[in-house]
């Protein structure tokens, strides 16, 4: 560390220095100040420095001295070292300050140097390039302090564990209105990822190692460890995951970021127990003492298997289906290859279904897999009666842009009666689907969107009982304007082309109406009708929603909406049904609860209540 020189004293280490806290007796009033002569951020900083003074705890002389001292400290961080302060005590709780700030100290010499391997590292180069001060500018302490913290934070995050400041000085000469700033940062060598050691895993180690976003010998990067930690946690195979570099002291590398607060990678490890943290200086000292010749840090991974059997029970209610019950039985792993098996039982008055999914992960378990899905479904609702059995084999890919592509082949047997017309069909058809869902936060999104497009084709050539081409698409958007205005827009389309619509089962026909379709109309009550006036389902469908929500207070929101849509034939409706209304949203601990009252425009005296629980997506 270079020899420190001092001229006229002045170093403020942070934008807001740590203020001494004074005991305030019950009922005491904090000092208020009226300030003239300075404005904007300088005035605001003075107010911040003075706000904790309790005038009742001081004599008049001591109060004046304390106010002057804090005012001078608050102005120094903006380069005002010789202000002229006139102070009068207006009342017991208020002072009046007239300030002549005087000349602002200017930067005479600015010297910033990065040595070691970091001198060629783009983030360090960018940090120097982005430094907002230059020679001739007025001195401000905050950017200088931020740069110092940024260097140390980057060093820890990017593997420069032997870093240090060989020179770091701020020399201020108020009588010359000049300052000289020197910062020499020596990063030392950049450490590399060493060998990976995994303990506690019931899954094949080669499968876990293939998920690593780094290779042995790659430059160390804390982000890569966070990504690996998150990927292992998202597989569902483990109840706890810990990924950390091995220090000779066996401490975990977890350093507070340069901007303060929690490390940016902490979200990826939020489910893990918090461990002791090392300060950057302590870590650097430890690594200098125990420095490795090869500059590689071994990576230790410790995992705990998740419970092999997990159960979930859900009870809910919606206007469309009434009371509903769900029972889930998940097996996140059933063998050492990480295969999983999930079962789901759903019960409501109009519909009962049992489904299962057997998942076979591939090279990247989170992105690539084979899936075998199967299920039985019974529907008895209004003019629809159906007993359906389905088996589907699918190949799934998730791309870097978060789009998911699924290629599948489905076999369906359905014994149905729709609008008084009964039939039994076997269908064999391939399909492809693209989808993406993005939300934040997940429980009640303030930003998000969802897209889905599916294309399916069946032909009697390969033994299917019907020939058809079917396409469905959905898009939904949530956006905020300010903190209290939430907008939701949704469009759904569907079409099926066939020469024998009577062979198409109800599960593939189109219906509209209900809580998530066109409010003001009952569940799936909108579709073409036969000569007897009974629903038979449509060959096309179009629905849309536009909704505005306004925060009333806390987790309570008011809503207004307009829904349009219908199911129809012949590639175009004569007109679309319209429903509009208002509602209330409550973001409860178990999820959003929605209550709406809607009016269908083609029935003047009708109103319909809609109630549902759960997020829009």
């Amino acid at each position: 560390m270079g020899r420190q020189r001092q001229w006229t004293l002045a170093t403020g280490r942070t934008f807001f220095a740590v203020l001494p806290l004074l005991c305030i007796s019950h009922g005491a009033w904090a000092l208020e100040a009226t300030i003239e002569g300075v404005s904007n951020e300088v005035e605001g900083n003075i107010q911040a420095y003075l706000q904790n003074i309790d005038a009742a705890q001081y004599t008049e002389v001591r109060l004046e001295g304390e106010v002057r001292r804090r005012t001078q400290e608050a102005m120094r961080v903006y380069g005002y070292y010789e202000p002229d302060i006139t102070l009068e005590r207006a009342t017991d709780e208020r002072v009046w300050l007239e300030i002549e700030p005087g000349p602002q100290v200017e930067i005479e010499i600015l010297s910033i140097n990065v040595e070691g391997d970091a001198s060629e590292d783009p983030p360090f180069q960018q940090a120097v390039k982005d430094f907002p001060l230059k020679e001739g500018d007025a001195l401000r302490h905050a950017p200088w302090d931020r740069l110092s913290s940024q260097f140390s934070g980057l060093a820890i995050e990017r593997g420069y564990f032997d870093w240090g400041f060989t020179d770091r000085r701020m020399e201020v000469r108020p009588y010359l209105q000049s300052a000289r700033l020197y910062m020499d940062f020596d990063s030392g060598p950049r450490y590399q990822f060493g060998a990976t050691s995994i303990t506690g895993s019931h899954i094949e180690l080669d499968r876990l190692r293939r998920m690593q976003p780094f290779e042995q010998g790659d430059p160390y990067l804390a982000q890569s460890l966070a990504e690996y930690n998150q990927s292992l946690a998202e597989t569902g195979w483990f109840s706890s995951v810990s990924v950390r570099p091995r220090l000779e002291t066996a401490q975990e590398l977890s350093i507070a970021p340069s901007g303060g607060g929690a490390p940016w990678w902490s979200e990826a490890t939020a489910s893990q127990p918090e461990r002791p943290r090392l300060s950057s200086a302590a870590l650097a000292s430890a690594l200098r003492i125990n420095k490795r010749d090869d500059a590689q840090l071994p990576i230790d991974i410790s995992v705990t298997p998740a419970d092999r059997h997990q159960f979930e029970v859900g009870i809910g209610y919606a206007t469309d289906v009434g009371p509903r019950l769900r029972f889930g039985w998940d097996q996140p792993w059933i063998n050492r290859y990480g295969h999983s098996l999930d079962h789901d039982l759903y019960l409501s008055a109009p519909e009962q279904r049992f489904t299962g999914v057997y998942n076979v992960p591939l090279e990247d378990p989170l992105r690539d897999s084979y899936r075998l899905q199967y299920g039985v479904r019974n529907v008895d609702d209004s003019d629809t009666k159906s007993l359906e059995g389905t088996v589907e084999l699918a190949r799934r890919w998730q791309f870097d842009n978060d789009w998911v592509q699924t290629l599948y082949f489905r076999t369906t047997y359905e014994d149905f009666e729709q609008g008084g017309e009964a039939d039994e069909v076997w269908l064999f058809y391939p399909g492809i689907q693209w989808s993406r869902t993005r939300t934040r936060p997940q429980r009640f999104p303030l930003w998000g969107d969802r897209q889905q497009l599916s294309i399916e084709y069946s032909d009697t050539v390969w033994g299917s009982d019907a020939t058809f081409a079917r396409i469905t698409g959905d898009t939904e958007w949530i956006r905020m304007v300010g903190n209290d205005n939430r907008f939701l827009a949704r469009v759904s389309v569907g079409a099926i082309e066939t020469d024998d619509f009577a062979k198409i089962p109800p599960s593939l026909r189109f219906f509209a109406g209900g809580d998530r379709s066109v409010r003001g109309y009952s569940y799936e009550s909108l579709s073409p009708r036969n000569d007897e006036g009974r629903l038979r389902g449509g060959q096309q469908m179009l629905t849309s929603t536009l909704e505005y929500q306004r925060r009333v207070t806390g987790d309570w929101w008011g809503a207004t909406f307009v829904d349009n849509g219908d199911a129809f034939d012949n590639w175009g409706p004569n007109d679309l049904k319209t429903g509009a209304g208002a509602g209330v949203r409550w973001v409860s601990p178990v999820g959003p609860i929605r209550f709406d009252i809607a009016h269908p425009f083609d029935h003047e005296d009708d109103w319909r209540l809609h109630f549902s629980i759960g997020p829009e997506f």
Side-chain angles (χ1 to χ4, degrees):
M1 188 71 67
R3 184 169 60 91
Q4 301 293 320
R5 293 178 296 169
Q6 289 187 337
W7 297 80
T8 305
L9 273 172
T11 36
R13 291 302 303 137
T14 59
F15 183 83
F16 291 102
V18 178
L19 299 178
L21 298 179
L22 303 176
C23 296
I24 300 178
S25 61
H26 180 71
W29 293 89
L31 184 69
E32 296 183 6
T34 299
I35 301 172
E36 296 182 3
V38 294
S39 59
N40 300 327
E41 56 188 5
V42 179
E43 180 184 3
N45 203 40
I46 295 172
Q47 293 281 12
Y49 270 70
L50 298 181
Q51 66 181 357
N52 289 325
I53 296 180
D54 178 12
Q57 302 297 320
Y58 292 85
T59 64
E60 186 170 348
V61 174
R62 287 186 60 222
L63 177 62
E64 180 177 345
E66 182 69 9
V67 170
R68 288 183 182 276
R69 182 183 67 81
R70 294 197 185 195
T71 301
Q72 290 169 347
E73 288 181 1
M75 297 185 66
R76 283 178 181 175
V77 299
Y78 291 101
Y80 295 103
Y81 276 75
E82 295 183 313
D84 185 8
I85 302 172
T86 301
L87 183 150
E88 291 185 10
R89 188 168 181 177
T91 66
D92 289 343
E93 289 83 29
R94 175 174 291 276
V95 296
W96 175 74
L97 296 176
E98 183 175 356
I99 301 173
E100 173 58 45
Q104 203 170 5
V105 169
E106 295 183 356
I107 299 174
E108 178 186 358
I109 296 176
L110 177 63
S111 176
I112 302 173
N113 298 295
V114 177
E115 301 172 352
D117 290 352
S119 62
E120 303 297 326
D121 198 350
F124 285 89
Q125 296 174 336
Q126 191 66 40
V128 176
K129 181 180 178 181
D130 292 342
F131 186 65
L133 303 179
K134 60 182 182 294
E135 292 180 356
D137 286 350
L139 174 65
R140 290 183 288 125
H141 290 199
W144 183 253
D145 296 329
R146 282 198 299 267
L147 181 64
S148 175
S149 298
Q150 188 176 6
F151 279 165
S152 59
L154 284 172
I156 297 303
E157 293 171 13
R158 301 182 65 80
Y160 300 97
F161 298 133
D162 297 330
W163 66 274
F165 290 97
T166 57
D167 196 2
R168 183 174 48 179
R169 289 174 291 146
M170 178 186 291
E171 301 175 355
V172 181
R173 302 176 177 182
Y175 54 92
L176 295 177
Q177 291 88 50
S178 70
R180 299 178 178 182
L181 280 59
Y182 304 90
M183 187 180 297
D184 294 335
F185 179 82
D186 186 357
S187 69
R190 186 174 185 180
Y191 279 70
Q192 303 168 352
F193 286 112
T196 299
S197 173
I198 303 175
T199 59
S201 177
H202 55 298
I203 305 298
E204 280 192 334
L205 299 185
D206 286 345
R207 178 172 289 275
L208 302 186
R209 289 194 175 98
R210 286 197 297 268
M211 295 174 62
Q212 288 182 189
F214 55 85
E215 300 289 342
Q216 183 174 350
D218 287 350
Y220 178 90
L221 192 62
Q223 181 180 4
S224 297
L225 290 186
E227 290 174 355
Y228 192 25
N229 195 114
Q230 185 173 17
S231 295
L232 291 176
E234 288 180 353
T235 61
W237 297 333
F238 311 108
S239 62
S240 66
V241 178
S242 174
V243 179
R244 58 184 182 180
R246 185 192 309 162
L247 306 181
E248 292 295 333
T249 58
Q251 294 289 337
E252 178 181 2
L253 175 61
S254 186
I255 306 301
S258 56
W264 58 265
W265 60 86
S266 63
E267 182 177 351
T269 59
S271 61
Q272 307 305 317
E274 187 171 350
R275 296 175 173 82
R277 298 181 184 273
L278 293 178
S279 69
S280 58
L283 178 62
S285 298
L287 285 167
R288 287 193 190 98
I289 295 172
N290 300 283
K291 183 176 178 181
R292 299 175 180 274
D293 294 336
D294 58 3
Q296 288 195 354
L297 284 178
I299 306 302
D300 290 334
I301 302 164
S302 176
V303 296
T304 303
D307 293 338
R308 193 165 188 172
H309 300 277
Q310 301 176 8
F311 302 95
E312 182 180 358
V313 177
I315 300 175
Y317 179 88
T319 313
D320 287 347
V321 299
R324 57 191 179 189
L325 173 68
R326 176 182 174 272
F327 177 77
W329 172 27
D330 297 340
Q331 295 175 266
W333 58 275
I334 60 176
N335 56 32
R336 61 193 178 94
Y337 303 108
H339 296 187
S340 63
L341 182 60
D342 300 335
H343 287 107
D344 190 86
L345 176 65
Y346 172 87
L347 301 173
S348 68
E351 179 183 355
Q352 306 84 44
R353 67 174 180 263
F354 175 78
T355 58
V357 179
Y358 186 88
N359 187 70
V360 180
L362 299 177
E363 181 99 1
D364 186 339
L366 299 178
R367 295 181 175 272
D368 301 314
S369 63
Y370 283 108
R371 293 186 175 183
L372 175 65
Q373 303 185 58
Y374 48 89
V376 178
R377 177 173 176 259
N378 180 68
V379 176
D380 188 352
D381 181 33
S382 185
D383 295 332
T384 302
K385 294 182 179 180
S386 171
L387 178 62
E388 173 191 1
T390 299
V391 177
E392 175 184 298
L393 180 63
R395 173 70 165 89
R396 179 183 182 274
W397 299 265
Q398 180 173 340
F399 305 118
D400 291 339
N401 59 7
D402 292 331
W403 280 92
V404 176
Q405 175 180 281
T406 305
L407 185 65
Y408 56 88
F409 184 85
R410 183 177 297 162
T411 300
T412 297
Y413 167 78
E414 192 161 347
D415 182 0
F416 66 90
E417 180 181 337
Q418 181 65 54
E421 299 177 5
D423 207 342
E424 299 179 37
V425 295
W426 277 97
L427 300 177
F428 309 97
Y429 56 97
I432 187 169
Q433 181 184 88
W434 297 275
S435 64
R436 182 178 68 176
T437 300
R438 302 180 296 176
T439 61
R440 58 176 188 259
Q442 191 169 15
R443 186 165 66 99
F444 185 69
L446 302 179
W447 181 96
D449 54 69
R450 177 181 64 87
Q451 288 81 38
Q452 177 267 317
L453 175 66
S454 298
I455 302 173
E456 300 166 334
Y457 182 76
S458 173
D459 203 308
T460 55
V461 171
W462 53 68
S464 189
D465 285 341
T467 298
F468 65 83
R470 186 173 187 268
I471 183 171
T472 60
D474 297 276
T475 183
E476 189 167 2
W477 298 77
I478 294 175
R479 292 294 186 268
M480 292 285 292
V481 176
N483 295 322
D484 301 320
N485 301 286
R486 187 173 185 259
F487 291 87
L488 182 146
R490 177 171 55 237
V491 176
S492 296
V493 297
I496 187 167
E497 180 64 25
T498 181
D499 294 331
D500 189 1
F501 187 68
K503 284 289 186 181
I504 304 301
S507 61
L508 297 179
R509 301 184 188 188
F510 295 104
F511 302 84
D515 296 343
R516 294 185 55 81
S517 181
V518 184
R519 283 164 287 188
Y521 298 86
S522 59
Y523 180 56
E524 295 192 345
S525 63
L526 300 179
S527 90
R529 297 176 181 267
N530 59 22
D531 294 337
E532 299 175 357
R534 304 174 71 176
L535 298 171
R536 63 178 180 83
Q539 291 187 243
Q540 291 88 41
M541 180 268 295
L542 171 64
T543 64
S544 66
T545 292
L546 183 61
E547 182 170 317
Y548 166 65
Q549 299 172 11
R550 171 75 180 181
R551 190 194 305 271
V552 178
T553 179
D555 290 330
W556 289 89
W557 300 67
T560 59
F561 57 86
V562 177
D563 296 339
N564 288 90
D566 205 348
F568 44 86
D569 295 326
N570 302 321
W571 293 98
N574 294 325
D575 56 11
L576 293 175
K577 306 297 184 182
T578 300
V584 176
R585 308 287 181 266
W586 176 43
V587 188
S588 75
V590 298
I593 296 177
R594 298 186 297 277
F595 178 82
D596 294 321
I597 180 170
H599 171 61
F601 278 24
D602 58 349
H603 299 285
E604 291 185 3
D605 299 328
D606 283 359
W607 294 89
R608 185 170 181 83
L609 299 179
H610 295 272
F611 176 81
S612 59
I613 301 175
E616 290 92 349
F617 290 177

